Amino acid sequence: RAAEQGDANAQNNLGFCYNYGQGVKQDYKQAVYWYKRAAEQGDANAQNNLGFCYDNGQGVKQDYKQAVYWYRKAAEQGLTSAQLRLGVCYEKGRGVKQDYVQAIDLYTKAAEQGDARAQLWLGSYYFYGEGVKQDYRQAFHWYKKAAEQGDADAQVILGSNYFAGEGVKQDYEQAIYWYKKAAEQGYDYAQLKLGKCYYNNGDYEQAVYWYKKVAEEGYAYAQFKLGLCYYNGQGVQQDYEQASFWLRKAADQGLKKATELLKKIETEK
């Protein structure tokens, strides 16, 4: 009723309900109808949502220029998600002429408001020197901001920065700290990197723990390293059967090192 009486917030909420089928039958066209009514009244969230509909052809014919139009309206009101989406449009040249400087400006505005994804992307721009002068310290600054908010991608990158000494003094303990943060969120690549760090540091029990998690997800390298630990009795009791089990899994994925070690085990039996 409030939506029908012209309440912009209620209209946006009703659009959201139709968009995601919450309490009503999902209907993208109805979602667009209510988003548009709210957006035309200046509701930033509705403008952003309407832009997304045009961007993805959801309930309306896909129209990148219209997406840019509505994203810009919301972005000018300081809505970080709209700044981010408009930045992507500039980055990809979607509905607007490709312009990395504009993309970076929008990501910076969102990042400065604390948007973790914008901070991550901004860090990558500085890291690779796209649209800005390459600056590892600036990259590290933004990666850390995102990592501290719990962004797993940023945590892995930050771990790699510490591991390689890029933009910061090399520090293996800090590398492990940030890899572990991402690994504990279930990020398999971080678990793999963490296993490698522990293995290289001689903490084989921890290495086995993390390698096993990733090996079970099907990573050939982790399967090989886990098999190697069982073969050498590193962090676990020596067990040729378990070694062969994991090495065979890695070998089946084409890892030559695993095939070679399997052959060696066969000759030693």
Side-chain angles (χ1 to χ4, degrees):
R1 185 173 290 180
E4 288 169 352
Q5 289 176 354
D7 185 298
N9 187 53
Q11 290 169 341
N12 178 59
N13 289 340
L14 187 55
F16 185 89
C17 290
Y18 275 114
N19 200 24
Y20 295 99
Q22 292 185 358
V24 289
K25 187 180 177 183
Q26 192 174 48
D27 187 330
Y28 292 138
K29 287 186 178 180
Q30 276 293 302
V32 168
Y33 172 80
W34 288 109
Y35 283 152
K36 195 166 188 179
R37 284 189 65 175
E40 286 170 345
Q41 291 193 68
D43 186 284
N45 288 308
Q47 290 167 343
N48 186 39
N49 291 334
L50 185 58
F52 182 84
C53 291
Y54 276 113
D55 205 355
N56 294 279
Q58 199 167 283
V60 69
K61 187 180 177 183
Q62 193 171 49
D63 187 330
Y64 292 139
K65 287 187 177 179
Q66 277 292 301
V68 166
Y69 174 83
W70 289 109
Y71 285 153
R72 194 185 307 283
K73 289 274 189 188
E76 285 170 352
Q77 294 193 61
L79 193 68
T80 57
S81 54
Q83 290 167 340
L84 211 58
R85 287 172 175 172
L86 185 58
V88 171
C89 291
Y90 274 108
E91 183 180 344
K92 307 291 184 188
R94 204 166 66 208
V96 70
K97 188 180 177 183
Q98 191 176 47
D99 188 333
Y100 288 127
V101 174
Q102 277 294 313
I104 290 165
D105 181 60
L106 286 156
Y107 292 153
T108 302
K109 284 176 179 174
E112 286 173 346
Q113 289 189 72
D115 188 288
R117 192 56 28 173
Q119 292 166 344
L120 173 68
W121 292 353
L122 195 55
S124 294
Y125 267 110
Y126 278 110
F127 187 85
Y128 294 106
E130 291 179 346
V132 286
K133 187 180 177 183
Q134 192 174 47
D135 187 332
Y136 288 144
R137 287 193 177 187
Q138 272 296 305
F140 177 81
H141 169 79
W142 290 112
Y143 285 146
K144 192 173 185 189
K145 290 272 188 188
E148 286 169 346
Q149 291 196 68
D151 187 286
D153 288 317
Q155 290 168 342
V156 169
I157 293 168
L158 200 60
S160 298
N161 286 161
Y162 274 115
F163 190 82
E166 288 175 331
V168 68
K169 189 180 176 183
Q170 195 173 48
D171 187 328
Y172 291 130
E173 282 187 17
Q174 278 294 303
I176 287 172
Y177 174 83
W178 288 108
Y179 282 146
K180 195 170 186 180
K181 286 275 187 186
E184 286 170 347
Q185 292 191 61
Y187 197 142
D188 47 16
Y189 180 71
Q191 293 169 344
L192 185 64
K193 296 288 281 186
L194 190 56
K196 194 172 181 180
C197 284
Y198 279 123
Y199 188 87
N200 291 344
N201 282 355
D203 189 342
Y204 299 125
E205 283 187 18
Q206 278 295 305
V208 165
Y209 175 81
W210 291 108
Y211 277 146
K212 192 169 186 181
K213 281 187 176 289
V214 200
E216 287 169 349
E217 293 296 317
Y219 276 71
Y221 179 79
Q223 292 166 343
F224 167 72
K225 293 296 284 188
L226 185 58
L228 186 64
C229 287
Y230 275 111
Y231 174 73
N232 290 320
Q234 293 171 312
V236 285
Q237 189 174 348
Q238 192 175 48
D239 187 330
Y240 279 9
E241 279 189 25
Q242 276 294 303
S244 297
F245 173 80
W246 288 109
L247 290 168
R248 194 165 290 111
K249 282 188 175 288
D252 287 345
Q253 292 192 64
L255 200 66
K256 286 183 180 179
K257 289 189 288 186
T259 305
E260 289 165 6
L261 188 53
L262 267 173
K263 287 177 183 175
K264 190 178 179 185
I265 290 172
E266 288 302 315
T267 60
E268 290 175 359
K269 280 183 178 178

